[in-house]
Amino acid sequence: MMEMRGGRARTAVAVVALVLTLASCARTSIEEMGRNAIRDQSNEAMATFTHITAAVDPGERSELTRRLTGSLTNIYSLTWTADGVLVADLYLRNHLTTSGGFWAEHRTVSACVRYTFINGNRDMRSINCPSTGPQSVHTDERVTVP
């Protein structure tokens, strides 16, 4: 009779271990969490960029510069082309850590994103990060944003 109880206990422990293993596999990967975090940051920056460029006269370059650099602190380049196109380059970076003790994961992701304002139209796209400055620091993945 004791042997049956021991067998049932081993079976129960095995089932619980299997359930816990499957549950940990079902979570979003740290890679995907990092990509989503950067994409969320880029979308939030686009919303801010859109709001500011809609609220300020495009001819008021000093006011646009003041507001954009005050609101988007990760701008590393803010210029106008010869044609009057506003170009803002932002560096986005996120470091993630999952819990899990011995199995904890760490990952750093980043992206360089260009926001432009041309004749009332706004655009956002990934660009290559500069080879110098904080944007050149190694990360585990450079994320591409639409």
Side-chain angles (χ1 to χ4, degrees):
M1 189 81 169
M2 287 297 274
E3 234 176 274
M4 274 184 102
R5 286 186 192 166
R8 286 184 184 163
R10 279 192 295 265
T11 301
V13 168
V15 167
V16 169
L18 179 62
V19 167
L20 290 174
T21 300
L22 290 175
S24 69
C25 292
R27 72 172 169 83
T28 304
S29 70
I30 193 168
E31 292 85 0
E32 194 57 35
M33 287 189 289
R35 289 181 202 116
N36 289 339
I38 291 292
R39 290 181 182 132
D40 288 347
Q41 286 178 347
S42 67
N43 288 331
E44 289 171 13
M46 184 61 168
T48 300
F49 183 80
T50 299
H51 174 76
I52 291 170
T53 56
V56 178
D57 183 320
E60 294 291 328
R61 290 184 177 185
S62 61
E63 182 63 13
L64 276 169
T65 298
R66 186 185 69 74
R67 284 188 151 180
L68 286 169
T69 56
S71 297
L72 299 170
T73 57
N74 45 2
I75 289 179
Y76 65 90
S77 175
L78 181 64
T79 60
W80 278 264
T81 65
D83 300 340
V85 175
L86 171 61
V87 178
D89 293 341
L90 277 71
Y91 177 62
L92 308 172
R93 182 180 176 96
N94 202 313
H95 181 78
L96 300 98
T97 303
T98 62
S99 60
F102 183 72
W103 292 279
E105 297 177 87
H106 301 276
R107 186 162 184 85
T108 302
V109 293
S110 64
C112 288
V113 184
R114 175 164 289 166
Y115 297 83
T116 55
F117 180 50
I118 307 168
N119 299 325
N121 297 314
R122 292 153 192 92
D123 186 46
M124 161 179 77
R125 64 182 169 89
S126 290
I127 58 173
N128 291 328
C129 289
S131 58
T132 60
Q135 303 84 4
S136 66
V137 173
H138 171 76
T139 59
D140 297 311
E141 180 180 4
R142 295 278 186 190
V143 177
T144 302
V145 297

